[in-house]
Amino acid sequence: METNKRLGKTQLFWFYVQAQIGIGILSLPYSLYKEAQTDGWISLLMSAVLVQIALFVLWLLHKRFPNDHLFSICEKTLGVFVGKVLTLVYIVYFVYTAALVLKNFTQLIVIWILTKTPETVFMGLIIASCLPLLLSTLDQKARMFVLTAPLILLIPIVMIGGFFHNADFLNLLPIGVTEPSGLMKGTLAASFAINGYIVMSLIFPYVKATAAEKIKVVSLAHWVVTFIYLLVVLACYTSFSAGELKLLPEPFLYLIKSFSLPIVERIDLIFLCLWSVIVITTYAIYIYCGVVGTMTLFRSQRYHLFVILALLSTFLVNLMPDSIIQVRQMITRTDEFGTTMNFVIPLLLLLIAAVFKRRLNKRRSKT
């Protein structure tokens, strides 16, 4: 794998956005309403604040190890053995998350578009589509993410121009009545949609920018993603009643389906076709992270081989006969585990690195 290329700030921005936005946006309003009711948008903002704190932790960790990614930092901070064990856990997490993205989207395609086509056909097509992207260099991946950026920007344009003129903002009432436990469950429910920030711990070393510029760029990208998510959630909340939101697992798609143009009727089908590009890039990013971890674990440069193995692993995991309810339960469990992997462990690594540096400085001062 070629790593001597340097990414620009624009590429870093869209790399982050592509890692954050994916299949989770379609079911996010349902997940938030299920846990936090009308205060689901507050849970989303709480989750966004926590992610901003997590980004700051990753940035501080990067400042201490400017030339290392997350996996090499684990070995330098915790030792080779413990670091490799933690790297293996991260590899499983990234590949398993990629498998859930693949499974969730293929199930959605089967339900909404081609009900008689086996899921394995769509899995094979998505994997084949990802292969050229994954086998490219890191800067080529970043350029691809910049090219697909207009698809993401279509969401706020369509939301503001197409749906809010018929919105009933009384559906947002009452505000602030959800118990703190419900708000926290809603915050956790939003984590699957915005847990891609951990990817920055692998990209920071390859960005041509100062440390201050990096945190500014990813912070801006994070709040742009939060703004898009907030528009989607508010559009669904103000377009559907409480009873409807409880029955619609993908309210965003139903909202798009309710909107029609004189020439085009099923806009939801067009949206899914376009959005498949974004899902493919998100899937590829998680596969890439798992492959980088595998290369670090085995100290090998056989990038192409590990890409093929990771893709096959996600394909085999998705062959399990899981219903859509079981997949959502798997996503919920992944949310809980992801909180530890994405926030708690980097924070512990930062604290351990800070403590050991102080001890090393004290020893140097004594000598």
Side-chain angles (χ1 to χ4, degrees), residues 23-241:
I23 185 66
I25 195 173
L26 303 179
S27 58
L28 178 61
Y30 169 80
S31 301
L32 289 174
Y33 194 87
K34 181 181 177 182
E35 301 295 346
Q37 304 299 313
T38 53
D39 292 329
W41 61 275
I42 299 178
S43 292
L44 175 62
L45 293 178
M46 291 172 58
S47 182
V49 172
L50 293 176
V51 170
Q52 181 62 62
I53 297 173
L55 283 173
F56 189 68
V57 170
L58 291 176
W59 176 70
L60 289 176
L61 193 62
H62 167 67
K63 284 189 68 177
R64 291 185 175 274
F65 303 93
N67 298 318
D68 296 294
H69 52 63
L70 178 64
F71 305 119
S72 57
I73 291 174
C74 289
E75 292 189 11
K76 287 186 176 181
T77 306
L78 303 175
V80 176
F81 178 75
V82 178
K84 284 186 177 297
V85 171
L86 189 56
T87 297
L88 179 60
V89 176
Y90 268 111
I91 293 170
V92 174
Y93 169 72
F94 284 129
V95 175
Y96 185 67
T97 303
L100 285 181
V101 171
L102 181 63
K103 182 73 173 181
N104 199 6
F105 188 67
T106 52
Q107 281 186 335
L108 194 64
I109 293 295
V110 170
I111 292 172
W112 276 84
I113 303 178
L114 300 172
T115 57
K116 295 184 179 180
T117 305
E119 287 184 23
T120 52
V121 174
F122 296 111
M123 292 179 188
L125 291 174
I126 292 176
I127 289 174
S129 301
C130 279
L131 199 55
L133 179 61
L134 284 168
L135 296 182
S136 62
T137 59
L138 182 60
D139 60 316
Q140 290 171 343
K141 292 182 179 67
R143 287 199 294 268
M144 175 63 182
F145 298 155
V146 175
L147 287 175
T148 57
L151 295 178
I152 296 176
L153 295 178
L154 281 176
I155 295 180
I157 296 173
V158 172
M159 289 292 98
I160 296 173
F163 300 113
F164 279 113
H165 69 283
N166 291 324
D168 184 3
F169 289 94
L170 292 178
N171 289 343
L172 297 176
L173 301 177
I175 297 176
V177 296
T178 305
E179 296 181 358
S181 59
L183 289 175
M184 291 307 300
K185 288 180 180 179
T187 302
L188 183 62
S191 62
F192 183 75
I194 57 176
N195 64 358
Y197 59 88
I198 190 64
V199 174
M200 292 300 100
S201 60
L202 302 178
I203 304 302
F204 273 152
Y206 308 123
V207 178
K208 188 177 181 180
T210 63
E213 290 174 335
K214 291 176 185 178
I215 190 61
K216 289 179 182 178
V217 169
V218 295
S219 297
L220 177 61
H222 167 61
W223 288 106
V224 167
V225 172
T226 302
F227 174 70
I228 293 174
Y229 277 150
L230 185 62
L231 282 180
V232 171
V233 170
L234 292 178
C236 292
Y237 272 33
T238 56
S239 299
F240 299 111
S241 64

Side-chain angles (χ1 to χ4, degrees), residues 251-271:
F252 186 44
L253 281 179
Y254 283 98
L255 180 60
I256 297 176
K257 186 178 180 180
S258 66
F259 188 74
S260 61
L261 296 174
I263 300 176
V264 183
E265 184 175 354
R266 291 295 303 273
I267 299 181
D268 56 313
L269 301 184
I270 298 176
F271 173 81

